[in-house]
């Protein structure tokens, strides 16, 4: 009886192709290119939709960053301001001042006389309307009205009324806000009429123009403005047919510190003025000041003492005229 062993033959080898690519290794395959996060953000910012540029600032506010640093509200003497909210939209205010008033003089001498003042104010604010009124003890009334007819049309009116003939004045305007532009029509006493228009040209650049007519004095003029702003800087330029050229630049050093400078030239009077200023906003105080080519040094400190109480210190030194102003103020509310 014999044993038998069954054996299955192995399958034939697979046919070798005429061309076989060389083997590759994972280490040799280059990873796909990915741009750094900063470059991705920069590339996204470069893609500008010129059909949706955004609305520019109003024509009269194109230099507001420089204005905050270079035009601090300095005063002389003592000032006390008190504001009391009587509801969600209504507030009353009281303001008392004691200081000196400068009288006009022919020479370089500064003539000052002591003076005191008091103003009573009433404010009304709601989402569509703003009413502000100030009445002084001398009978001078200052009023401001702003009313939004629609989301795009706004009416404004400012008036100053006095008992002295010829010193009362008023100015009204109709503002229209478009998709990427703003326009304004102005009218006032002394047969004043004006119009301005500002347009967003790119994401950072806006250009504008204005024209006015003063019928009582038979004077007219036109002007052109340009504003270029980024996250870190704002540069503006203005030129008018009246002979005025104005340039300003603001550098945002950080979220709390801004440096500003401006230059103004008047072709008719040949006056040239340049100034450098700063705006330092801390947690409990704000410090602003400037130095200009006329020898004037200005500083304003606003300190929050706690709650609604604020301390205000003001100083202005005019070295050429030897005129020095110091102020101390308290604000409540």
């Amino acid at each position: 009886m014999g044993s038998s062993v069954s054996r299955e033959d192995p399958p034939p080898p697979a046919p070798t192709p005429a061309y076989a690519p060389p083997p590759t290794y994972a280490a040799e395959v280059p990873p796909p290119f990915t741009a750094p996060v900063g470059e991705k953000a920069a590339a996204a910012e470069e893609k500008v939709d010129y059909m949706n540029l955004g609305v520019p600032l109003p024509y009269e506010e194109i230099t507001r960053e420089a204005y905050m640093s270079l035009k601090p509200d300095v005063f002389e003497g003592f000032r006390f301001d008190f504001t009391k909210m009587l509801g969600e939209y209504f507030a009353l205010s009281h303001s008392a001042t004691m200081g000196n008033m400068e009288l006009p003089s022919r020479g370089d001498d500064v003539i000052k006389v002591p003076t005191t003042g008091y103003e009573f104010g009433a404010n009304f604010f709601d989402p569509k309307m703003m009413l502000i009124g100030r009445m002084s003890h001398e009978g001078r009334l200052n009023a401001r009205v702003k009313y939004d007819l629609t989301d795009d049309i706004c009416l404004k009116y400012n008036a100053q009324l006095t008992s002295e003939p010829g010193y009362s004045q008023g100015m009204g305007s109709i503002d229209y806000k478009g998709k990427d532009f703003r326009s304004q029509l102005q009218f006032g006493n002394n047969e004043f009429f004006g119009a301005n228009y500002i347009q967003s040209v790119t994401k950072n650049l806006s250009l504008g123009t204005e024209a006015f007519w003063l019928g009582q004095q038979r004077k007219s003029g036109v002007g052109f403005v340009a504003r270029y702003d980024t996250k870190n800087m704002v540069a503006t330029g203005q030129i008018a047919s009246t002979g005025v050229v104005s340039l300003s630049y603001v550098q945002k050093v950080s979220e709390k510190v801004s440096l500003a400078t401006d230059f103004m030239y008047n072709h008719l009077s040949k006056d040239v003025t340049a100034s450098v200023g700063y705006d330092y906003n801390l947690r409990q105080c704000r410090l602003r000041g400037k130095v200009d080519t006329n020898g004037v040094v200005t500083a304003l400190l606003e300190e929050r003492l706690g709650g609604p109480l604020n301390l205000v210190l003001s100083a202005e030194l005019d070295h050429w005229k030897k005129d020095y102003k110091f102020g101390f103020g308290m604000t409540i509310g």
Side-chain angles (χ1 to χ4, degrees):
M1 181 174 168
S3 60
S4 63
V5 178
S6 62
R7 184 179 64 183
E8 183 179 0
D9 294 336
T16 304
Y19 169 76
T24 57
Y25 302 95
E28 296 179 359
V29 178
F33 173 78
T34 56
V37 177
E39 295 182 6
K40 289 182 179 180
E45 289 183 359
E46 290 178 358
K47 297 180 180 178
V48 180
D49 185 3
Y50 288 95
M51 302 302 295
N52 296 283
L53 292 175
V55 183
L57 286 179
Y59 191 94
E60 64 270 15
E61 296 182 14
I62 62 168
T63 60
R64 66 181 183 183
E65 292 86 358
Y67 185 88
M68 294 300 295
S69 300
L70 301 174
K71 304 293 183 182
D73 184 19
V74 296
F75 60 96
E76 184 178 13
F78 174 76
R79 186 174 71 184
F80 177 77
D81 297 317
F82 175 77
T83 302
K84 175 65 176 178
M85 295 296 301
L86 300 182
E88 185 179 0
Y89 304 119
F90 188 68
L92 296 178
S93 64
H94 305 268
S95 178
T97 58
M98 292 184 295
N100 295 322
M101 179 178 63
E102 293 187 9
L103 298 179
S105 60
R106 296 182 178 179
D108 295 335
D109 297 335
V110 179
I111 302 176
K112 299 183 180 181
V113 294
T115 183
T116 58
Y118 169 78
E119 284 188 350
F120 172 77
N123 306 325
F124 178 81
F125 300 94
D126 73 357
K128 280 197 168 185
M129 184 169 58
M130 178 186 71
L131 301 174
I132 299 177
R134 296 286 186 274
M135 175 64 75
S136 70
H137 71 286
E138 298 175 345
R140 185 178 63 254
L141 173 65
N142 293 319
R144 294 178 57 191
V145 180
K146 178 183 178 183
Y147 182 73
D148 295 330
L149 287 177
T150 65
D151 294 339
D152 301 326
I153 301 177
C154 177
L155 303 179
K156 299 178 183 178
Y157 192 78
N158 300 333
Q160 181 178 359
L161 306 178
T162 64
S163 57
E164 302 179 10
Y167 284 89
S168 298
Q169 56 184 349
M171 176 73 69
S173 66
I174 303 174
D175 298 2
Y176 180 76
K177 180 178 66 175
K179 186 178 180 180
D180 56 2
F181 69 91
R182 289 179 184 267
S183 60
Q184 184 183 71
L185 296 177
Q186 299 172 322
F187 53 91
N189 60 329
N190 297 327
E191 301 179 19
F192 173 83
F193 298 96
N196 60 62
Y197 178 88
I198 186 167
Q199 171 75 52
S200 295
V201 180
T202 67
K203 184 181 61 173
N204 305 111
L205 177 65
S206 56
L207 303 176
T209 183
E210 68 171 344
F212 71 90
W213 165 256
L214 191 57
Q216 195 173 61
Q217 300 181 6
R218 300 296 178 180
K219 290 184 179 181
S220 63
V222 295
F224 302 92
V225 299
R227 173 186 168 94
Y228 185 85
D229 62 276
T230 64
K231 295 181 179 179
N232 299 321
M233 55 81 67
V234 178
T236 64
Q238 302 182 58
I239 185 171
S241 60
T242 55
V244 177
V245 178
S246 177
L247 305 173
S248 70
Y249 178 83
V250 178
Q251 178 68 44
K252 301 176 184 178
V253 180
S254 66
E255 295 181 357
K256 298 181 179 180
V257 182
S258 297
L259 301 178
T261 182
D262 71 346
F263 170 85
M264 183 172 292
Y265 170 69
N266 192 323
H267 178 71
L268 299 180
S269 61
K270 305 300 180 181
D271 291 336
V272 180
T273 305
S275 60
V276 178
Y278 57 89
D279 188 354
Y280 200 1
N281 199 348
L282 297 174
R283 180 186 301 178
Q284 295 293 331
C285 72
R286 184 175 186 179
L287 180 62
R288 289 177 287 170
K290 73 164 186 176
V291 180
D292 62 24
T293 53
N294 293 325
V296 180
V297 181
T298 302
L300 179 67
L301 172 65
E302 299 170 290
E303 176 78 21
R304 290 185 288 272
L305 300 180
L309 182 61
N310 297 328
L311 170 67
V312 182
L313 299 177
S314 171
E316 183 177 270
L317 310 178
D318 191 336
H319 296 286
W320 289 3
K321 294 183 178 180
K322 297 183 179 180
D323 181 19
Y324 310 110
K325 302 177 183 178
F326 298 95
F328 171 80
M330 298 292 294
T331 302
I332 300 177

